Amino acid sequence: MDERGYRDDLRKVILEMTQKDLEGNASQRGIKKYFEGNIDKIINENIKKASSGMSCNNVYLNILKSGSNEKNISLIVKSIKSQDLFKSKKELIKFARYLGINATTKNSYNSILRRIANHIYSNRNEYSKRYFSYQKGGREYILEPERIKEDLIESYKSKARNDMKSIAKLLEISVDDEDNAEDIRRKVINYIMKEKLNKR
């Protein structure tokens, strides 16, 4: 698959996820337009985070994504062992703890390795949905569509809040720091309604 194919697939996945979150929202069309226009920017921000993140964390995500596609536990074991990071038992213990597996130096390297592989194999459906392999500039990134979706929604909320804040400022309506876009919108509507009633 070329880079465009990866991008289009990821965009489709995220937009479908946001669509589910939007059900029942009154201004769906406007939000959908915003999401479609800003999704590439948010994906690129997540790629930057992934490339600047801890290298061991990137290895973890790669193992989880590739392991979720393996046919058996032995292949997952082989995949883990192929990583230079996991040549030492200390690093393997860190990975086990990252996955919520209780492992100590008393456990043998092979028993920890087997428990990690079992864990990944048992949770392969969850990991295959959680992580998305994305190619850009000849590099592979493991991204989390759920996180990108949340960043996209947060970006919209922030923009909507700033827009409503600007309207409130023009109307000289005081706004609290905790007010979200919907709170400010209500204040603006109440203000306009009062003004209309006073004029009558």
Side-chain angles (χ1 to χ4, degrees):
M1 193 189 297
D2 63 4
E3 283 185 14
R4 187 176 173 165
Y6 280 100
R7 191 196 71 203
D8 291 347
D9 281 358
L10 182 60
R11 285 187 65 167
K12 188 180 172 202
V13 167
I14 295 162
L15 290 171
E16 281 172 3
M17 289 167 80
T18 54
Q19 195 63 40
K20 284 176 188 170
D21 282 16
L22 289 178
E23 284 171 6
N25 196 309
S27 56
Q28 269 190 32
R29 201 169 160 196
I31 300 171
K32 192 179 174 198
K33 208 170 179 184
Y34 175 86
F35 287 162
E36 286 169 354
N38 287 274
I39 191 167
D40 290 332
K41 179 185 159 200
I42 303 294
I43 289 171
N44 287 332
E45 284 172 9
N46 274 264
I47 288 170
K48 277 181 195 168
K49 285 179 201 168
S51 58
S52 65
M54 295 185 326
S55 59
C56 68
N57 197 49
N58 292 334
V59 173
Y60 292 176
L61 297 183
N62 271 303
I63 289 289
L64 293 173
K65 178 61 185 167
S66 63
S68 70
N69 296 319
E70 296 295 3
K71 291 186 177 100
N72 58 51
I73 292 166
S74 299
L75 291 170
I76 298 171
V77 166
K78 198 175 177 182
S79 176
I80 296 167
K81 283 175 98 172
S82 72
Q83 295 291 329
D84 288 337
L85 181 68
F86 301 123
K87 297 294 180 207
S88 77
K89 184 159 79 166
K90 186 181 171 186
E91 289 300 330
L92 200 61
I93 289 169
K94 280 186 195 172
F95 185 38
R97 288 180 180 161
Y98 172 85
L99 296 172
I101 299 166
N102 188 18
T104 66
T105 50
K106 290 176 185 176
N107 305 120
S108 74
Y109 179 91
N110 284 333
S111 75
I112 298 167
L113 185 61
R114 202 87 187 152
R115 282 165 67 195
I116 290 170
N118 274 320
H119 171 85
I120 294 170
Y121 188 76
S122 300
N123 295 284
R124 64 191 183 283
N125 289 337
E126 182 196 331
Y127 290 135
S128 70
K129 288 175 194 162
R130 190 188 301 178
Y131 303 111
F132 191 96
S133 179
Y134 189 88
Q135 298 276 344
K136 187 178 180 183
R139 276 191 66 187
E140 182 187 27
Y141 300 93
I142 305 299
L143 303 176
E144 295 181 65
E146 182 66 30
R147 183 172 287 176
I148 296 170
K149 180 203 83 172
E150 285 168 10
D151 289 351
L152 190 58
I153 290 170
E154 201 47 54
S155 155
Y156 174 77
K157 283 180 180 175
S158 176
K159 182 198 177 297
R161 185 180 187 278
N162 288 337
D163 289 350
M164 291 312 300
K165 240 177 129 178
S166 298
I167 293 166
K169 194 175 178 182
L170 285 169
L171 297 171
E172 296 178 357
I173 300 167
S174 65
V175 174
D176 298 324
D177 289 339
E178 309 85 52
D179 287 349
N180 61 33
E182 195 54 36
D183 296 329
I184 301 168
R185 192 175 74 82
R186 271 193 222 104
K187 285 183 179 180
V188 167
I189 289 168
N190 287 340
Y191 173 85
I192 293 166
M193 294 303 287
K194 277 179 189 171
E195 286 292 301
K196 268 196 162 185
L197 288 169
N198 288 339
K199 280 178 183 176
R200 281 182 187 175

